[in-house]
Amino acid sequence: MGALRAESCLCQARRRPEPRFCRLRATYRVIMLIFTTKARLEANMPWLFTLFLGVHVGCGTVALLAFWGAVLTRKGGPDHLYWGRVFTWAIYGAAAMALGMGALSVRWPLAMHPGLTDAALYRGLLGWMMLYLGVLVFGMTRYGRQMVANRRDHAKNRRWPMIALQLLVLALGANCLALGLWLRQPLMILVSVIGFGTTLTYLWYLFRPTPPSPRAYVAEHLKAMVATGIAAYTAFLSVGLIRLFPAHAFNPVIWAVPTVVGVALIGYFLRREDRGHARVTTPATIPAE
């Protein structure tokens, strides 16, 4: 009996795999699990993209309507404040969804957009540019709100979250510009240059020791919020064009229409603000007897 047991144990020891073989098999299983999970993610992520897109369109629609509510009501009045809050939170929601869609398009550009064939091109246009625009819009909205919130204490505008946000916009803008040059996409170059212009003017104002006038915050608030409205309408046009006229979806001329209208609005309200401020500060003349 003892000899039989010894022989059985010896056979089991011979059939037991070597530690090196066990490690190789475990590594193979991990690699296969990674690739299987990657394939499953790629197959299942389009539904998440569709969810992000639906929420993005819903928030964007609210923002488009609330924008005109804030524009057409008396500045500083209760209606203006109400529509401004609705516009702000709708923009925040749309920007968050844009970040989600952009991240998915960077990782899986062709899976998120069936029918497209150039992964590098649409990773840039629908991925990295979407990420950049989401952060840019969030940064503009946040800047515009902070101008009013900190109107009595300009130093609070220079707190690190605001500065870090604007620097992140510049970094993503530089990435968008580089990709636009590499892919030869004028739209990516255009939006990055516009973002540089707005963000650098924001930083210039933030780091001023004191504002140029007690009501300078009004102009900064106005420019930032109207610029956010321009971005909202630009995104609305782009989505509609992709669905209706795919060949013209990335035409810079069409994308420039909201910018032209927005700049005209900014100029109009700034002139009105200047005239109103001049009437307040100019002393009344005493008629001659």
Side-chain angles (χ1 to χ4, degrees):
M1 289 293 294
L4 289 174
R5 286 180 182 176
E7 185 177 355
S8 175
C9 292
L10 182 61
C11 291
Q12 290 179 3
R14 287 175 180 174
R15 287 196 297 268
R16 186 178 301 163
E18 296 181 2
R20 183 177 180 181
F21 174 76
C22 292
R23 287 195 295 270
L24 288 175
R25 187 169 60 181
T27 303
Y28 171 77
R29 287 178 177 176
V30 170
I31 292 173
M32 291 304 298
L33 178 62
I34 291 173
F35 278 98
T36 304
T37 304
K38 179 182 176 181
R40 288 176 180 174
L41 282 174
E42 186 172 355
N44 293 327
M45 283 302 102
W47 74 265
L48 182 60
F49 183 92
T50 302
L51 175 63
F52 285 161
L53 178 60
V55 178
H56 176 78
V57 171
C59 291
T61 302
V62 173
L64 295 178
L65 299 174
F67 173 76
W68 290 107
V71 167
L72 299 175
T73 51
R74 184 176 64 85
K75 305 302 174 279
D79 292 337
H80 177 78
L81 297 178
Y82 170 77
W83 287 113
R85 284 193 294 269
V86 173
F87 176 75
T88 296
W89 286 106
I91 286 294
Y92 285 165
M97 296 301 103
L99 294 179
M101 290 188 295
L104 291 175
S105 297
V106 168
R107 183 64 184 85
W108 299 291
L110 300 184
M112 297 306 107
H113 307 278
L116 303 181
T117 56
D118 193 332
L121 175 62
Y122 292 103
R123 180 178 285 114
L125 279 171
L126 302 175
W128 287 113
M129 190 173 76
M130 181 76 76
L131 286 172
Y132 165 62
L133 291 175
V135 176
L136 174 64
V137 167
F138 183 84
M140 291 189 299
T141 308
R142 187 64 182 164
Y143 177 87
R145 298 287 296 182
Q146 289 296 102
M147 290 300 103
V148 176
N150 298 330
R151 59 187 179 275
R152 293 185 178 88
D153 189 354
H154 178 64
K156 287 184 178 180
N157 291 320
R158 291 191 292 272
R159 289 177 174 172
W160 71 265
M162 175 60 69
I163 303 302
L165 178 59
Q166 302 305 327
L167 293 178
L168 177 60
V169 172
L170 289 178
L172 290 173
N175 178 66
C176 186
L177 176 61
L179 288 173
L181 293 172
W182 177 52
L183 297 170
R184 298 180 180 179
Q185 288 298 313
L187 181 59
M188 297 182 71
I189 298 171
L190 177 63
V191 297
S192 62
V193 171
I194 292 173
F196 287 148
T198 57
T199 305
L200 291 175
T201 57
Y202 294 167
L203 290 171
W204 176 80
Y205 182 83
L206 291 173
F207 282 102
R208 292 187 67 143
T210 56
S213 68
R215 290 185 60 81
Y217 73 90
V218 176
E220 295 299 313
H221 169 76
L222 173 67
K223 289 186 290 186
M225 301 308 283
V226 173
T228 305
I230 292 171
Y233 271 91
T234 302
F236 172 77
L237 276 180
S238 68
V239 172
L241 288 170
I242 288 174
R243 302 297 180 191
L244 299 176
F245 307 103
H248 300 284
F250 299 108
N251 188 332
V253 176
I254 298 177
W255 278 54
V257 172
T259 302
V260 172
V261 175
V263 169
L265 281 174
I266 291 173
Y268 168 75
F269 283 113
L270 287 180
R271 286 194 301 271
R272 197 173 75 170
E273 167 67 17
D274 290 340
R275 287 197 300 268
H277 184 58
R279 284 196 299 269
V280 171
T281 57
T282 301
T285 57
I286 302 174
E289 296 181 0

